[in-house]
Amino acid sequence: MRAGCEDTSPEDCQGWIRHSRRSALITSHISQQNSTRSVSARSLGQRTQAGHTNRWQLPGALGSDLLGQAQVQRAEEFGNKSSDRKKYSADPMALHWHETATSCPHSPLPRLVHPLSASRRARLCKDVTWSSKLDTPEERLDVLYGRVAHNAKPDVVLECLGVRWKLHCSVLSSSDTLFELYTNSKRQQDVELQERAVIGKDSRVSSSACERGLVYRKWLLRGPLTLRLPVKDDSINKEALSFALRTLYDPEERPDEWGEAVLSTAGLLGMSNLFQKCLTEMLAHISSSTVCSFHQVSCKFKETFLQRACERWLELFLVTELSFHIKLKDLPFDLMLKTLRCPRLFASNEYEVLRAVLYWLYLKLNPLRETLPAHSTIIHFFSRETAVFLEQPQGQKYITIFQALRMHGITEWQHLQELQNIRVLPESWLLSILSNHYHSLHSGGNMVVTDFSKQAIRFGVMFDREQECCTQTISLCGFYFLLQAAKFGESDTYNFSIEVRALTGSYPCEKGHVIVFNMHL
Protein backbone atom coordinates (compact mmCIF):
# COMPACT_ATOMS: atom_id res chain seq x y z
CA MET A 1 0.00 0.00 0.00
CA ARG A 2 2.86 2.37 0.70
CA ALA A 3 4.48 1.76 -2.68
CA GLY A 4 1.24 2.58 -4.45
CA CYS A 5 0.88 5.90 -2.64
CA GLU A 6 4.44 7.31 -3.05
CA ASP A 7 3.56 9.77 -5.85
CA THR A 8 0.17 10.85 -4.50
CA SER A 9 -1.01 13.14 -1.78
CA PRO A 10 -2.11 11.73 1.59
CA GLU A 11 -5.76 12.65 0.89
CA ASP A 12 -5.73 10.83 -2.45
CA CYS A 13 -4.01 7.81 -0.93
CA GLN A 14 -6.64 7.52 1.81
CA GLY A 15 -9.45 7.83 -0.77
CA TRP A 16 -7.90 5.11 -2.88
CA ILE A 17 -7.67 2.83 0.15
CA ARG A 18 -11.34 3.43 1.02
CA HIS A 19 -12.37 2.74 -2.59
CA SER A 20 -10.39 -0.52 -2.63
CA ARG A 21 -12.02 -1.67 0.59
CA ARG A 22 -15.51 -0.79 -0.71
CA SER A 23 -14.86 -2.72 -3.95
CA ALA A 24 -13.63 -5.73 -2.01
CA LEU A 25 -16.72 -5.64 0.22
CA ILE A 26 -19.09 -5.33 -2.76
CA THR A 27 -17.35 -8.18 -4.60
CA SER A 28 -17.51 -10.41 -1.50
CA HIS A 29 -21.20 -9.60 -0.98
CA ILE A 30 -22.08 -10.37 -4.63
CA SER A 31 -20.19 -13.69 -4.59
CA GLN A 32 -21.85 -14.66 -1.31
CA GLN A 33 -25.27 -13.70 -2.70
CA ASN A 34 -24.69 -15.76 -5.87
CA SER A 35 -23.63 -18.81 -3.86
CA THR A 36 -26.69 -18.46 -1.62
CA ARG A 37 -28.93 -18.11 -4.67
CA SER A 38 -27.48 -21.22 -6.30
CA VAL A 39 -27.90 -23.20 -3.08
CA SER A 40 -31.50 -22.05 -2.68
CA ALA A 41 -32.21 -22.89 -6.34
CA ARG A 42 -30.83 -26.37 -5.85
CA SER A 43 -32.76 -26.84 -2.62
CA LEU A 44 -36.03 -25.64 -4.18
CA GLY A 45 -35.65 -27.98 -7.18
CA GLN A 46 -35.28 -25.36 -9.94
CA ARG A 47 -36.77 -26.59 -13.22
CA THR A 48 -34.79 -26.78 -16.43
CA GLN A 49 -36.06 -26.78 -19.97
CA ALA A 50 -36.45 -30.14 -21.76
CA GLY A 51 -36.92 -30.01 -25.53
CA HIS A 52 -38.00 -27.23 -27.86
CA THR A 53 -41.67 -27.25 -26.76
CA ASN A 54 -41.23 -25.07 -23.68
CA ARG A 55 -41.58 -28.06 -21.31
CA TRP A 56 -39.83 -27.93 -17.97
CA GLN A 57 -38.70 -30.55 -15.53
CA LEU A 58 -37.16 -30.93 -12.12
CA PRO A 59 -33.49 -31.94 -12.28
CA GLY A 60 -33.93 -34.77 -9.77
CA ALA A 61 -35.66 -38.15 -10.19
CA LEU A 62 -38.99 -37.34 -8.47
CA GLY A 63 -42.05 -39.52 -8.90
CA SER A 64 -44.27 -36.73 -7.54
CA ASP A 65 -43.53 -34.39 -10.46
CA LEU A 66 -47.17 -33.85 -11.46
CA LEU A 67 -46.25 -31.23 -14.05
CA GLY A 68 -43.82 -33.65 -15.68
CA GLN A 69 -46.47 -36.37 -15.77
CA ALA A 70 -48.96 -34.06 -17.47
CA GLN A 71 -46.29 -33.03 -19.99
CA VAL A 72 -45.59 -36.69 -20.79
CA GLN A 73 -49.22 -37.29 -21.70
CA ARG A 74 -49.41 -34.06 -23.67
CA ALA A 75 -46.23 -34.87 -25.58
CA GLU A 76 -47.51 -38.35 -26.45
CA GLU A 77 -50.80 -36.96 -27.73
CA PHE A 78 -48.92 -34.35 -29.75
CA GLY A 79 -46.69 -37.06 -31.24
CA ASN A 80 -49.64 -39.21 -32.28
CA LYS A 81 -51.34 -36.32 -34.07
CA SER A 82 -48.27 -35.30 -36.04
CA SER A 83 -46.00 -38.27 -36.57
CA ASP A 84 -43.94 -36.49 -39.23
CA ARG A 85 -42.66 -33.94 -36.75
CA LYS A 86 -39.78 -34.38 -34.34
CA LYS A 87 -40.76 -36.39 -31.25
CA TYR A 88 -39.64 -35.43 -27.82
CA SER A 89 -40.40 -37.36 -24.65
CA ALA A 90 -40.00 -36.42 -21.03
CA ASP A 91 -39.98 -39.03 -18.29
CA PRO A 92 -41.42 -37.69 -15.03
CA MET A 93 -39.19 -39.98 -12.99
CA ALA A 94 -35.94 -38.45 -14.27
CA LEU A 95 -34.58 -36.07 -16.91
CA HIS A 96 -34.01 -37.20 -20.50
CA TRP A 97 -34.42 -36.02 -24.08
CA HIS A 98 -34.66 -38.07 -27.27
CA GLU A 99 -33.85 -36.46 -30.58
CA THR A 100 -34.63 -37.63 -34.12
CA ALA A 101 -32.10 -37.80 -36.90
CA THR A 102 -33.28 -34.42 -38.21
CA SER A 103 -32.68 -32.63 -34.93
CA CYS A 104 -30.39 -29.69 -35.03
CA PRO A 105 -26.89 -30.78 -33.87
CA HIS A 106 -26.03 -27.29 -32.75
CA SER A 107 -29.02 -26.76 -30.50
CA PRO A 108 -28.41 -24.18 -27.78
CA LEU A 109 -30.21 -26.40 -25.27
CA PRO A 110 -28.21 -29.03 -23.36
CA ARG A 111 -28.63 -32.70 -24.18
CA LEU A 112 -30.26 -34.43 -21.24
CA VAL A 113 -29.42 -38.07 -20.57
CA HIS A 114 -31.67 -40.45 -18.65
CA PRO A 115 -29.81 -42.10 -15.78
CA LEU A 116 -31.96 -45.28 -15.94
CA SER A 117 -31.82 -48.12 -18.40
CA ALA A 118 -33.94 -48.13 -21.55
CA SER A 119 -36.22 -50.93 -20.34
CA ARG A 120 -36.74 -49.29 -16.95
CA ARG A 121 -37.47 -45.95 -18.65
CA ALA A 122 -40.00 -47.51 -21.02
CA ARG A 123 -41.81 -49.30 -18.21
CA LEU A 124 -41.99 -46.18 -16.04
CA CYS A 125 -43.25 -44.08 -18.92
CA LYS A 126 -45.87 -46.72 -19.75
CA ASP A 127 -47.07 -46.89 -16.15
CA VAL A 128 -47.58 -43.13 -16.00
CA THR A 129 -48.83 -42.39 -19.50
CA TRP A 130 -50.78 -45.41 -20.68
CA SER A 131 -52.51 -46.39 -17.47
CA SER A 132 -55.85 -48.06 -18.12
CA LYS A 133 -57.52 -45.62 -15.74
CA LEU A 134 -56.65 -42.77 -18.11
CA ASP A 135 -58.26 -44.44 -21.14
CA THR A 136 -61.93 -44.32 -22.06
CA PRO A 137 -63.84 -47.64 -22.30
CA GLU A 138 -63.84 -47.52 -26.12
CA GLU A 139 -60.11 -46.77 -26.22
CA ARG A 140 -59.36 -49.77 -24.00
CA LEU A 141 -61.28 -51.99 -26.42
CA ASP A 142 -59.46 -50.50 -29.43
CA VAL A 143 -56.07 -51.09 -27.82
CA LEU A 144 -56.91 -54.71 -27.00
CA TYR A 145 -58.31 -55.79 -30.36
CA GLY A 146 -55.53 -53.88 -32.10
CA ARG A 147 -53.04 -56.05 -30.23
CA VAL A 148 -54.93 -59.33 -30.65
CA ALA A 149 -56.24 -58.83 -34.20
CA HIS A 150 -53.02 -57.13 -35.37
CA ASN A 151 -54.87 -53.92 -36.34
CA ALA A 152 -57.10 -55.72 -38.86
CA LYS A 153 -60.00 -53.69 -40.18
CA PRO A 154 -63.25 -54.21 -38.24
CA ASP A 155 -66.07 -56.18 -39.83
CA VAL A 156 -68.82 -54.88 -37.56
CA VAL A 157 -69.61 -51.60 -35.82
CA LEU A 158 -71.88 -51.96 -32.79
CA GLU A 159 -73.86 -48.85 -31.93
CA CYS A 160 -74.72 -49.06 -28.22
CA LEU A 161 -74.86 -46.53 -25.36
CA GLY A 162 -73.96 -43.73 -27.79
CA VAL A 163 -70.62 -45.31 -28.76
CA ARG A 164 -69.52 -47.05 -31.96
CA TRP A 165 -67.71 -50.22 -30.90
CA LYS A 166 -65.51 -51.77 -33.58
CA LEU A 167 -65.56 -55.58 -33.68
CA HIS A 168 -64.55 -58.51 -35.86
CA CYS A 169 -66.97 -61.18 -37.00
CA SER A 170 -64.63 -63.97 -35.85
CA VAL A 171 -65.40 -63.23 -32.17
CA LEU A 172 -69.15 -62.73 -32.44
CA SER A 173 -69.92 -66.44 -31.99
CA SER A 174 -69.25 -66.09 -28.24
CA SER A 175 -72.21 -63.72 -27.93
CA ASP A 176 -75.62 -65.08 -28.86
CA THR A 177 -77.13 -61.61 -29.16
CA LEU A 178 -74.38 -60.16 -31.35
CA PHE A 179 -74.23 -63.28 -33.51
CA GLU A 180 -77.99 -63.10 -34.11
CA LEU A 181 -77.81 -59.40 -34.94
CA TYR A 182 -74.91 -60.01 -37.33
CA THR A 183 -76.67 -62.94 -39.03
CA ASN A 184 -79.88 -60.97 -39.55
CA SER A 185 -78.02 -57.91 -40.84
CA LYS A 186 -75.92 -60.05 -43.19
CA ARG A 187 -79.02 -61.80 -44.53
CA GLN A 188 -80.73 -58.46 -45.08
CA GLN A 189 -77.67 -57.12 -46.87
CA ASP A 190 -77.55 -60.17 -49.18
CA VAL A 191 -81.21 -59.68 -50.06
CA GLU A 192 -80.60 -56.03 -50.89
CA LEU A 193 -77.59 -56.97 -53.04
CA GLN A 194 -79.63 -59.52 -54.96
CA GLU A 195 -82.43 -57.04 -55.55
CA ARG A 196 -79.96 -54.44 -56.73
CA ALA A 197 -78.31 -56.95 -59.08
CA VAL A 198 -81.69 -57.89 -60.59
CA ILE A 199 -82.60 -54.25 -61.11
CA GLY A 200 -79.23 -53.62 -62.77
CA LYS A 201 -79.69 -56.65 -65.07
CA ASP A 202 -83.21 -55.78 -66.18
CA SER A 203 -82.54 -52.13 -66.79
CA ARG A 204 -81.69 -51.14 -70.37
CA VAL A 205 -79.51 -48.19 -69.68
CA SER A 206 -76.52 -47.17 -71.73
CA SER A 207 -74.04 -48.23 -69.05
CA SER A 208 -71.91 -51.22 -69.94
CA ALA A 209 -71.64 -54.49 -67.99
CA CYS A 210 -68.27 -53.43 -66.69
CA GLU A 211 -69.76 -50.33 -65.14
CA ARG A 212 -72.53 -52.37 -63.53
CA GLY A 213 -69.90 -54.71 -62.07
CA LEU A 214 -68.03 -51.77 -60.56
CA VAL A 215 -71.25 -50.48 -59.00
CA TYR A 216 -71.98 -53.94 -57.57
CA ARG A 217 -68.43 -54.30 -56.27
CA LYS A 218 -68.60 -50.85 -54.65
CA TRP A 219 -71.88 -51.78 -52.98
CA LEU A 220 -70.38 -55.03 -51.70
CA LEU A 221 -67.25 -53.41 -50.28
CA ARG A 222 -68.88 -50.34 -48.81
CA GLY A 223 -67.59 -51.04 -45.23
CA PRO A 224 -68.38 -52.86 -41.98
CA LEU A 225 -71.89 -53.81 -40.99
CA THR A 226 -73.63 -51.59 -38.47
CA LEU A 227 -75.43 -53.33 -35.61
CA ARG A 228 -77.73 -51.43 -33.27
CA LEU A 229 -78.37 -52.77 -29.78
CA PRO A 230 -80.84 -50.86 -27.56
CA VAL A 231 -80.29 -50.93 -23.78
CA LYS A 232 -83.19 -50.58 -21.36
CA ASP A 233 -81.39 -51.65 -18.18
CA ASP A 234 -80.05 -48.68 -16.22
CA SER A 235 -77.38 -50.80 -14.51
CA ILE A 236 -75.50 -51.37 -17.81
CA ASN A 237 -72.78 -48.74 -18.41
CA LYS A 238 -69.96 -48.19 -20.87
CA GLU A 239 -67.31 -49.67 -18.57
CA ALA A 240 -69.19 -52.96 -18.18
CA LEU A 241 -69.98 -53.13 -21.91
CA SER A 242 -66.36 -52.44 -22.80
CA PHE A 243 -65.20 -55.21 -20.45
CA ALA A 244 -67.70 -57.70 -21.90
CA LEU A 245 -66.58 -56.93 -25.45
CA ARG A 246 -62.92 -57.22 -24.44
CA THR A 247 -63.55 -60.73 -23.13
CA LEU A 248 -64.48 -61.70 -26.70
CA TYR A 249 -60.82 -61.14 -27.61
CA ASP A 250 -59.19 -62.06 -24.30
CA PRO A 251 -61.13 -64.26 -21.83
CA GLU A 252 -58.57 -63.45 -19.12
CA GLU A 253 -59.69 -59.82 -18.89
CA ARG A 254 -60.97 -58.73 -15.48
CA PRO A 255 -63.28 -55.82 -14.63
CA ASP A 256 -62.76 -53.17 -11.99
CA GLU A 257 -65.39 -54.95 -9.89
CA TRP A 258 -67.78 -57.85 -10.34
CA GLY A 259 -71.40 -56.93 -9.80
CA GLU A 260 -74.75 -56.06 -11.27
CA ALA A 261 -73.36 -54.08 -14.22
CA VAL A 262 -71.23 -56.97 -15.50
CA LEU A 263 -73.95 -59.56 -14.89
CA SER A 264 -76.59 -57.45 -16.65
CA THR A 265 -74.28 -56.82 -19.59
CA ALA A 266 -73.49 -60.52 -19.93
CA GLY A 267 -77.20 -61.28 -19.90
CA LEU A 268 -77.89 -58.62 -22.54
CA LEU A 269 -75.17 -59.89 -24.88
CA GLY A 270 -76.08 -63.53 -24.31
CA MET A 271 -72.61 -64.46 -23.03
CA SER A 272 -73.36 -67.50 -20.86
CA ASN A 273 -69.70 -68.16 -19.96
CA LEU A 274 -69.20 -64.62 -18.71
CA PHE A 275 -72.53 -64.78 -16.87
CA GLN A 276 -71.52 -67.91 -14.95
CA LYS A 277 -68.02 -66.57 -14.29
CA CYS A 278 -69.52 -63.40 -12.82
CA LEU A 279 -71.79 -65.45 -10.56
CA THR A 280 -68.82 -67.50 -9.38
CA GLU A 281 -66.78 -64.38 -8.58
CA MET A 282 -69.71 -62.84 -6.72
CA LEU A 283 -70.13 -65.97 -4.63
CA ALA A 284 -66.47 -65.80 -3.68
CA HIS A 285 -66.55 -62.10 -2.75
CA ILE A 286 -69.60 -61.76 -0.49
CA SER A 287 -68.72 -59.26 2.23
CA SER A 288 -70.19 -56.39 4.22
CA SER A 289 -69.78 -54.02 1.28
CA THR A 290 -71.32 -56.34 -1.33
CA VAL A 291 -73.89 -58.59 0.35
CA CYS A 292 -76.83 -56.18 -0.06
CA SER A 293 -76.16 -55.42 -3.74
CA PHE A 294 -75.45 -59.09 -4.54
CA HIS A 295 -78.72 -60.18 -2.94
CA GLN A 296 -80.59 -57.58 -4.98
CA VAL A 297 -78.97 -58.87 -8.16
CA SER A 298 -79.80 -62.47 -7.28
CA CYS A 299 -83.47 -61.55 -6.88
CA LYS A 300 -83.40 -59.65 -10.16
CA PHE A 301 -82.06 -62.61 -12.16
CA LYS A 302 -83.73 -65.26 -9.95
CA GLU A 303 -80.40 -66.86 -9.08
CA THR A 304 -81.45 -68.84 -6.03
CA PHE A 305 -77.97 -70.18 -5.31
CA LEU A 306 -76.48 -66.68 -4.98
CA GLN A 307 -79.53 -65.53 -3.04
CA ARG A 308 -79.20 -68.34 -0.53
CA ALA A 309 -75.47 -67.67 -0.15
CA CYS A 310 -76.14 -63.99 0.68
CA GLU A 311 -78.84 -64.93 3.19
CA ARG A 312 -76.57 -67.50 4.81
CA TRP A 313 -73.82 -64.86 5.09
CA LEU A 314 -76.27 -62.51 6.83
CA GLU A 315 -77.26 -65.23 9.28
CA LEU A 316 -73.62 -65.52 10.34
CA PHE A 317 -72.33 -61.94 10.08
CA LEU A 318 -75.26 -59.52 10.40
CA VAL A 319 -74.49 -58.87 14.08
CA THR A 320 -70.73 -59.43 14.07
CA GLU A 321 -69.72 -57.58 10.87
CA LEU A 322 -72.45 -55.79 8.92
CA SER A 323 -73.73 -53.92 11.98
CA PHE A 324 -70.34 -52.16 12.12
CA HIS A 325 -70.37 -51.19 8.42
CA ILE A 326 -72.07 -48.24 6.73
CA LYS A 327 -73.55 -50.60 4.12
CA LEU A 328 -75.99 -51.67 6.83
CA LYS A 329 -78.27 -48.89 5.57
CA ASP A 330 -78.65 -50.72 2.23
CA LEU A 331 -80.18 -53.78 3.89
CA PRO A 332 -83.86 -53.87 2.80
CA PHE A 333 -86.73 -54.25 5.23
CA ASP A 334 -87.87 -57.70 4.08
CA LEU A 335 -84.37 -59.17 4.19
CA MET A 336 -83.76 -57.73 7.66
CA LEU A 337 -87.01 -59.26 8.94
CA LYS A 338 -86.24 -62.63 7.35
CA THR A 339 -82.78 -62.70 8.92
CA LEU A 340 -84.06 -61.82 12.40
CA ARG A 341 -86.68 -64.56 12.25
CA CYS A 342 -84.13 -67.17 11.17
CA PRO A 343 -83.29 -69.65 13.97
CA ARG A 344 -79.69 -69.83 12.68
CA LEU A 345 -78.93 -66.13 13.30
CA PHE A 346 -75.62 -65.93 15.15
CA ALA A 347 -75.15 -63.50 18.04
CA SER A 348 -73.15 -63.55 21.24
CA ASN A 349 -76.29 -62.41 23.09
CA GLU A 350 -79.68 -60.87 22.34
CA TYR A 351 -78.58 -57.36 23.29
CA GLU A 352 -76.16 -57.36 20.33
CA VAL A 353 -79.09 -58.14 18.02
CA LEU A 354 -81.03 -55.22 19.49
CA ARG A 355 -78.02 -52.96 18.99
CA ALA A 356 -77.77 -53.96 15.30
CA VAL A 357 -81.49 -53.22 14.81
CA LEU A 358 -81.17 -49.79 16.43
CA TYR A 359 -78.23 -48.91 14.16
CA TRP A 360 -80.15 -50.12 11.10
CA LEU A 361 -83.23 -48.10 12.10
CA TYR A 362 -81.16 -44.98 12.71
CA LEU A 363 -79.59 -45.22 9.23
CA LYS A 364 -83.01 -45.72 7.67
CA LEU A 365 -84.27 -42.56 9.38
CA ASN A 366 -81.08 -40.65 8.45
CA PRO A 367 -80.25 -41.87 4.92
CA LEU A 368 -77.79 -39.03 4.19
CA ARG A 369 -75.24 -40.22 6.74
CA GLU A 370 -72.06 -41.66 5.21
CA THR A 371 -70.43 -42.89 8.43
CA LEU A 372 -71.63 -44.91 11.38
CA PRO A 373 -72.41 -42.84 14.48
CA ALA A 374 -71.26 -43.61 18.00
CA HIS A 375 -73.46 -45.72 20.24
CA SER A 376 -74.12 -42.71 22.47
CA THR A 377 -75.48 -40.84 19.44
CA ILE A 378 -77.93 -43.66 18.76
CA ILE A 379 -79.14 -43.70 22.37
CA HIS A 380 -79.52 -39.91 22.44
CA PHE A 381 -81.42 -39.93 19.14
CA PHE A 382 -84.04 -42.39 20.40
CA SER A 383 -84.20 -40.89 23.91
CA ARG A 384 -84.86 -37.26 23.04
CA GLU A 385 -88.43 -37.81 21.84
CA THR A 386 -91.29 -37.75 24.32
CA ALA A 387 -93.57 -39.98 22.23
CA VAL A 388 -92.91 -43.68 21.74
CA PHE A 389 -91.49 -44.34 18.26
CA LEU A 390 -93.43 -47.54 17.47
CA GLU A 391 -96.69 -45.81 18.39
CA GLN A 392 -96.13 -43.04 15.85
CA PRO A 393 -97.25 -43.31 12.18
CA GLN A 394 -93.62 -43.32 11.07
CA GLY A 395 -92.77 -46.28 13.30
CA GLN A 396 -95.82 -48.46 12.66
CA LYS A 397 -94.15 -50.38 9.82
CA TYR A 398 -91.17 -51.30 12.04
CA ILE A 399 -93.27 -53.12 14.67
CA THR A 400 -92.69 -56.51 13.04
CA ILE A 401 -88.92 -55.92 13.18
CA PHE A 402 -88.94 -55.49 16.96
CA GLN A 403 -91.42 -58.33 17.39
CA ALA A 404 -88.83 -60.63 15.79
CA LEU A 405 -86.38 -59.82 18.60
CA ARG A 406 -86.23 -62.07 21.64
CA MET A 407 -85.92 -59.27 24.15
CA HIS A 408 -86.78 -61.54 27.08
CA GLY A 409 -83.19 -62.74 26.62
CA ILE A 410 -81.85 -59.32 27.68
CA THR A 411 -81.19 -59.81 31.41
CA GLU A 412 -78.25 -57.52 32.23
CA TRP A 413 -79.23 -54.57 34.42
CA GLN A 414 -77.47 -51.90 32.32
CA HIS A 415 -79.03 -53.25 29.15
CA LEU A 416 -82.52 -53.21 30.67
CA GLN A 417 -81.94 -49.65 31.87
CA GLU A 418 -80.96 -48.63 28.36
CA LEU A 419 -84.06 -50.36 26.98
CA GLN A 420 -86.19 -48.18 29.25
CA ASN A 421 -84.36 -44.96 28.38
CA ILE A 422 -84.85 -45.17 24.63
CA ARG A 423 -88.36 -44.14 23.58
CA VAL A 424 -88.84 -46.95 21.07
CA LEU A 425 -90.87 -49.74 22.70
CA PRO A 426 -94.40 -49.26 24.07
CA GLU A 427 -94.80 -49.41 27.83
CA SER A 428 -96.86 -52.60 27.57
CA TRP A 429 -93.88 -54.35 25.93
CA LEU A 430 -91.50 -53.20 28.67
CA LEU A 431 -93.94 -54.25 31.37
CA SER A 432 -94.23 -57.73 29.86
CA ILE A 433 -90.43 -58.15 29.68
CA LEU A 434 -89.87 -57.05 33.29
CA SER A 435 -92.81 -59.13 34.56
CA ASN A 436 -91.39 -62.28 32.96
CA HIS A 437 -88.02 -61.62 34.58
CA TYR A 438 -89.70 -61.09 37.97
CA HIS A 439 -91.68 -64.31 37.59
CA SER A 440 -88.53 -66.27 36.68
CA LEU A 441 -86.62 -64.99 39.70
CA HIS A 442 -89.46 -66.00 42.05
CA SER A 443 -89.89 -69.40 40.41
CA GLY A 444 -86.39 -70.72 40.89
CA GLY A 445 -85.28 -69.66 37.41
CA ASN A 446 -88.17 -71.18 35.43
CA MET A 447 -89.04 -69.06 32.40
CA VAL A 448 -92.41 -68.88 30.65
CA VAL A 449 -91.91 -70.61 27.30
CA THR A 450 -94.83 -71.29 24.98
CA ASP A 451 -93.00 -71.58 21.62
CA PHE A 452 -89.42 -72.76 21.97
CA SER A 453 -88.51 -72.09 18.31
CA LYS A 454 -89.33 -68.38 18.75
CA GLN A 455 -88.55 -67.83 22.43
CA ALA A 456 -85.26 -69.69 22.80
CA ILE A 457 -82.51 -67.32 23.93
CA ARG A 458 -79.57 -66.88 21.53
CA PHE A 459 -76.01 -67.18 22.79
CA GLY A 460 -72.85 -67.76 20.79
CA VAL A 461 -69.06 -67.86 21.01
CA MET A 462 -66.43 -66.81 18.50
CA PHE A 463 -64.09 -69.70 17.78
CA ASP A 464 -60.67 -69.27 16.22
CA ARG A 465 -59.48 -72.11 13.98
CA GLU A 466 -56.05 -72.01 15.62
CA GLN A 467 -57.54 -72.66 19.05
CA GLU A 468 -57.91 -76.21 20.29
CA CYS A 469 -60.63 -75.39 22.81
CA CYS A 470 -62.89 -72.43 23.67
CA THR A 471 -65.17 -72.02 26.72
CA GLN A 472 -67.65 -69.37 27.91
CA THR A 473 -69.84 -69.19 31.02
CA ILE A 474 -73.38 -67.75 30.78
CA SER A 475 -75.54 -66.71 33.73
CA LEU A 476 -79.31 -66.73 33.23
CA CYS A 477 -81.89 -66.43 36.04
CA GLY A 478 -79.78 -68.38 38.51
CA PHE A 479 -78.62 -70.98 35.99
CA TYR A 480 -74.99 -71.14 34.93
CA PHE A 481 -74.29 -72.62 31.52
CA LEU A 482 -70.90 -73.59 30.17
CA LEU A 483 -70.47 -73.37 26.40
CA GLN A 484 -67.56 -75.43 25.12
CA ALA A 485 -66.10 -75.91 21.65
CA ALA A 486 -63.24 -78.32 20.99
CA LYS A 487 -61.52 -79.44 17.81
CA PHE A 488 -61.96 -83.11 17.00
CA GLY A 489 -58.72 -84.61 15.74
CA GLU A 490 -56.92 -83.11 12.75
CA SER A 491 -60.01 -82.67 10.58
CA ASP A 492 -62.26 -79.61 10.41
CA THR A 493 -64.78 -81.18 12.78
CA TYR A 494 -65.62 -79.57 16.13
CA ASN A 495 -67.56 -80.73 19.18
CA PHE A 496 -69.89 -78.18 20.77
CA SER A 497 -71.46 -78.74 24.18
CA ILE A 498 -73.80 -76.84 26.51
CA GLU A 499 -73.58 -77.95 30.14
CA VAL A 500 -75.47 -76.80 33.25
CA ARG A 501 -72.68 -76.21 35.76
CA ALA A 502 -74.59 -74.97 38.85
CA LEU A 503 -78.07 -74.08 40.05
CA THR A 504 -79.35 -71.71 42.72
CA GLY A 505 -82.65 -71.66 44.58
CA SER A 506 -84.78 -74.67 45.46
CA TYR A 507 -84.72 -76.28 42.00
CA PRO A 508 -83.07 -79.70 42.50
CA CYS A 509 -80.51 -81.10 40.09
CA GLU A 510 -78.18 -84.01 40.73
CA LYS A 511 -76.24 -83.91 37.46
CA GLY A 512 -75.87 -81.26 34.81
CA HIS A 513 -77.48 -82.02 31.49
CA VAL A 514 -75.08 -82.00 28.54
CA ILE A 515 -76.01 -81.43 24.89
CA VAL A 516 -73.32 -82.37 22.37
CA PHE A 517 -73.44 -82.04 18.60
CA ASN A 518 -70.91 -81.96 15.76
CA MET A 519 -70.51 -79.36 13.02
CA HIS A 520 -68.28 -79.75 9.95
CA LEU A 521 -66.85 -76.46 8.64
Side-chain angles (χ1 to χ4, degrees), residues 322-331 336 355-374 377-378 381-382 389 394 398:
L322 186 60
S323 62
F324 298 94
H325 200 282
I326 189 59
K327 289 295 182 178
L328 177 65
K329 67 178 182 180
D330 296 333
L331 188 64
M336 182 66 165
R355 175 190 175 279
V357 171
L358 291 177
Y359 269 74
W360 174 80
L361 180 59
Y362 176 85
L363 294 176
K364 288 296 181 182
L365 300 177
N366 301 273
L368 298 181
R369 284 197 64 101
E370 296 297 334
T371 57
L372 280 179
T377 304
I378 301 291
F381 177 80
F382 289 109
F389 175 76
Q394 186 182 12
Y398 297 104

Side-chain angles (χ1 to χ4, degrees), residues 81-318:
K81 294 179 181 179
S82 55
S83 59
D84 55 334
R85 299 184 181 181
K86 292 184 295 183
K87 297 181 181 179
Y88 301 92
S89 62
D91 192 342
M93 304 299 293
L95 210 56
H96 69 283
W97 176 28
H98 297 287
E99 292 180 329
T100 59
T102 58
S103 300
C104 179
H106 303 290
S107 174
L109 297 176
R111 181 176 180 83
L112 307 176
V113 181
H114 201 294
L116 302 177
S117 62
S119 60
R120 172 68 173 168
R121 181 174 64 251
R123 186 172 66 83
L124 291 176
C125 191
K126 179 180 179 181
D127 293 341
V128 175
T129 307
W130 295 111
S131 175
S132 60
K133 295 182 179 181
L134 301 179
D135 299 335
T136 60
E138 50 268 30
E139 287 176 349
R140 296 174 67 178
L141 176 62
D142 293 342
V143 171
L144 178 62
Y145 87 69
R147 184 177 70 249
V148 176
H150 305 290
N151 294 320
K153 292 184 178 180
D155 305 313
V156 174
V157 173
L158 175 65
E159 292 184 356
C160 186
L161 297 179
V163 180
R164 293 173 59 86
W165 310 89
K166 301 175 183 179
L167 301 171
H168 299 85
C169 61
S170 58
V171 300
L172 298 182
S173 59
S174 300
S175 172
D176 296 339
T177 303
L178 296 182
F179 183 76
E180 183 179 357
L181 287 176
Y182 175 76
T183 303
N184 296 336
S185 299
K186 188 67 175 176
R187 186 182 299 112
Q188 182 179 1
Q189 185 189 53
D190 294 340
V191 171
E192 293 177 356
L193 289 174
Q194 291 178 2
E195 292 177 354
R196 189 175 184 87
V198 171
I199 294 175
K201 182 178 180 180
D202 294 341
S203 62
R204 295 295 184 268
V205 294
S206 58
S207 60
S208 62
C210 182
E211 293 176 351
R212 289 198 301 270
L214 291 176
V215 172
Y216 178 81
R217 199 175 299 112
K218 182 179 180 180
W219 170 267
L220 184 63
L221 302 176
R222 61 180 180 176
L225 284 175
T226 300
L227 308 179
R228 294 177 177 85
L229 181 61
V231 177
K232 299 180 181 180
D233 194 341
D234 296 335
S235 63
I236 299 178
N237 51 38
K238 295 179 181 179
E239 288 76 13
L241 182 59
S242 174
F243 162 71
L245 296 178
R246 293 199 308 271
T247 58
L248 297 176
Y249 294 91
D250 185 7
E252 299 300 325
E253 280 284 312
R254 299 187 64 85
D256 296 334
E257 62 179 4
W258 299 95
E260 182 180 6
V262 176
L263 199 65
S264 300
T265 305
L268 175 67
L269 297 179
M271 303 174 64
S272 57
N273 292 336
L274 179 60
F275 192 89
Q276 293 300 325
K277 183 178 181 180
C278 185
L279 286 177
T280 304
E281 292 291 339
M282 293 170 69
L283 284 170
H285 293 87
I286 299 177
S287 62
S288 299
S289 58
T290 60
V291 62
C292 297
S293 59
F294 285 0
H295 187 272
Q296 181 181 1
V297 173
S298 66
C299 296
K300 174 182 177 181
F301 291 95
K302 298 181 180 180
E303 293 293 333
T304 56
F305 195 75
L306 177 61
Q307 179 180 351
R308 183 67 192 96
C310 293
E311 293 174 358
R312 178 57 178 163
W313 189 94
L314 287 172
E315 294 169 5
L316 295 175
F317 302 109
L318 169 64

